[in-house]
Amino acid sequence: MNDQIFSLAVQSIDDKKAQNIVALNMQGISPIADYFIICQGNSEKQVQAIAHELKKVMQENGLDIKRLEGYDTARWVLIDLGNTVVHIFHKDERIYYNLEKLWGDAPVIELEGVLK
C-alpha cells in the first residue's frame, strides 16, 4: 500500500467532516485500484468541499490526481489517485449505489490508526 497517499486521502476527507468513511482492500478483486475509500457528504456543497480539500492536500504534497469526475454535479465524485480511488457520495447516491455491498468480498481496512 502506498501509505502516504492512502493516509493523506483518509485524513483530508475526515478533516472536511466526511461521514461513514469506509476503506476496502481491492487487491486481487479489482484491476482498477488496490484500495477504494468511500465516504459521503450531506449536501452538494459538502461533497465539493471534501473533494476540493482532497485535491488541495494531494497537490500540496506533490502527489498526482490521475482523474477527477463528477465535481460539478456533486452527487458522486470519483478521484483517482493511482492505486487508491476515492468515492465521495451525496448521502442519497451512496445508498442507491451501495458500493460496499457491490464489493462485499473486499476486506474492510481498519482506519483507527489512520484517523487522528
Side-chain angles (χ1 to χ4, degrees):
M1 176 193 315
N2 187 331
D3 291 324
Q4 182 186 21
I5 291 174
F6 182 83
S7 297
L8 282 172
V10 170
Q11 291 165 6
S12 67
I13 63 176
D14 185 57
D15 285 347
K16 283 296 175 184
K17 308 293 186 236
Q19 298 180 333
N20 300 327
I21 301 170
V22 174
L24 302 176
N25 184 338
M26 302 299 290
Q27 294 179 46
I29 296 169
S30 171
I32 298 168
D34 290 340
Y35 305 97
F36 279 1
I37 300 170
I38 306 164
C39 66
Q40 71 189 48
N42 286 321
S43 67
E44 285 88 353
K45 292 271 188 229
Q46 186 184 16
V47 169
Q48 288 177 333
I50 294 165
H52 180 78
E53 180 70 10
L54 177 57
K55 182 179 176 185
K56 183 182 87 165
V57 167
M58 291 300 148
Q59 289 173 336
E60 288 172 354
N61 285 277
L63 300 168
D64 278 342
I65 291 179
K66 311 284 186 227
R67 191 173 196 141
L68 189 152
E69 294 187 20
Y71 183 84
D72 291 338
T73 56
R75 302 300 290 182
W76 178 359
V77 178
L78 183 142
I79 303 175
D80 182 351
L81 303 172
N83 66 349
T84 299
V85 175
V86 181
H87 302 269
I88 307 167
F89 284 99
H90 184 283
K91 64 180 179 183
D92 299 334
E93 304 301 318
R94 184 169 185 178
I95 293 165
Y96 179 78
Y97 288 103
N98 197 359
L99 290 188
E100 295 95 319
K101 184 175 182 188
L102 178 66
W103 298 103
D105 49 343
V108 175
I109 299 168
E110 179 57 54
L111 297 176
E112 194 173 297
V114 179
L115 295 172
K116 295 171 183 157

